[in-house]
Structures are given as C-alpha cells and as structure tokens.
Amino acid sequence: MDIEDIKNKISSGGLKFTHQRMVIYEAVSQTHSHPTAEWVYEQVKENNPSISLGTVYKTLDTFVNAKIIQKFIDTNGVMRFDAVLEAHSHLYDKETNEIRDYHNHQLETLIKEFFEKNKIKDFEVEDIEVVLKGHNKQKIN
C-alpha cells in the first residue's frame, strides 16, 4: 500500500490526513499479525520520536470509530487491531499466541446464511467472528 492509498483510506473515513495517522495506519496495515497498540508504537517511534503511546492509542480508536480498522480482544484479553475489514476468520496459535487471517468465502457464506435463516429471538446479529484455535504444525527453525 503506497502513501496515496493510505491517504485515501484515511480520508474515506472522514478524517484529516496527517503524518502521524499515516505511519500508524501503515504499521497496522502492513502486518498480518493483528498488532497491539504497543507493537504499533514500537514500530513507529524510531522514525517518529515525538509520537507518544497515548497518540497511538487515540489514533487507533479514531480509526476504529471511522471504520478504517477493526479491533478485537484476543483469548488472553489483549486488544488487537486488524486492517482487514471484509468478513474473515482468525487462526489462533495457542503455543505462540500468533493470530493470522483465514479467508474462506464458503465458510463465511455458510455462517451468514445460517443466521439469516435461524434468527435469535430478541437479538440482532451485527457481526460474526470465528476464531479457530490450535497450533502451527510446521515449526520454523
């Protein structure tokens, strides 16, 4: 994703494009590991020493409210961020705590259709998150 793409993404959320917003969005969007705010801060602070952890937190919350990124709490209660907005599932490695995206259109369609046909009384489903827990069978040495 180049600077113009990032600028368009931030602007599409109704936000003013700033350098700080650019580097924070870039850090989130260029990793597939679903980073924490602290991780994002560590990535951007070396080249942006005036940025604070508080700014990173506020900016990430602003992005979530503008629907530019999404946030979720992992199984350890840690807040994580994801730049992928379309429906997808997550693979959670219980040994390493790594979270990866898992895209399977057939699975997403099946779940969506199930809940369209099987409404839950007095409850409106807005979003469905599937987390598959296990471990990576291929160990990297």
Side-chain angles (χ1 to χ4, degrees):
M1 183 173 275
D2 65 16
I3 292 174
E4 197 60 35
D5 291 334
I6 295 171
K7 184 176 183 177
N8 290 336
K9 188 70 169 179
I10 291 170
S11 299
S12 73
L15 302 174
K16 181 180 176 186
F17 179 77
T18 66
H19 177 76
Q20 288 183 331
R21 286 178 176 167
M22 179 193 71
V23 297
I24 291 169
Y25 183 80
E26 186 175 41
V28 173
S29 67
Q30 289 186 346
T31 182
H32 299 288
S33 64
H34 305 80
T36 63
E38 291 81 5
W39 185 92
V40 173
Y41 173 68
E42 291 298 321
Q43 298 303 305
V44 301
K45 78 173 183 175
E46 185 175 331
N47 293 325
N48 303 275
S50 65
I51 202 164
S52 70
L53 180 58
T55 297
V56 171
Y57 270 104
K58 288 177 193 171
T59 302
L60 291 171
D61 280 340
T62 299
F63 287 166
V64 169
N65 291 333
K67 298 186 183 346
I68 295 173
I69 64 173
Q70 58 183 332
K71 69 178 175 179
F72 63 95
I73 299 174
D74 71 14
T75 58
N76 292 323
V78 176
M79 185 65 63
R80 296 189 173 262
F81 298 89
D82 190 355
V84 178
L85 298 177
E86 62 268 0
H88 66 285
S89 301
H90 293 111
L91 302 175
Y92 177 75
D93 188 317
K94 293 169 34 175
E95 293 175 2
T96 65
N97 295 323
E98 178 187 13
I99 301 171
R100 296 183 319 197
D101 288 335
Y102 175 67
H103 296 272
N104 185 308
H105 181 71
Q106 184 179 2
L107 175 62
E108 304 303 330
T109 301
L110 179 69
I111 293 169
K112 183 180 177 191
E113 289 174 353
F114 175 85
F115 283 106
E116 286 173 357
K117 293 176 185 173
N118 299 279
K119 302 282 185 201
I120 301 171
K121 184 179 179 181
D122 300 325
F123 189 81
E124 181 180 345
V125 175
E126 294 177 355
D127 190 27
I128 300 169
E129 296 180 12
V130 176
V131 177
L132 304 167
K133 297 177 185 178
H135 65 275
N136 188 353
K137 290 171 63 172
Q138 294 181 343
K139 299 294 181 198
I140 299 172
N141 296 326

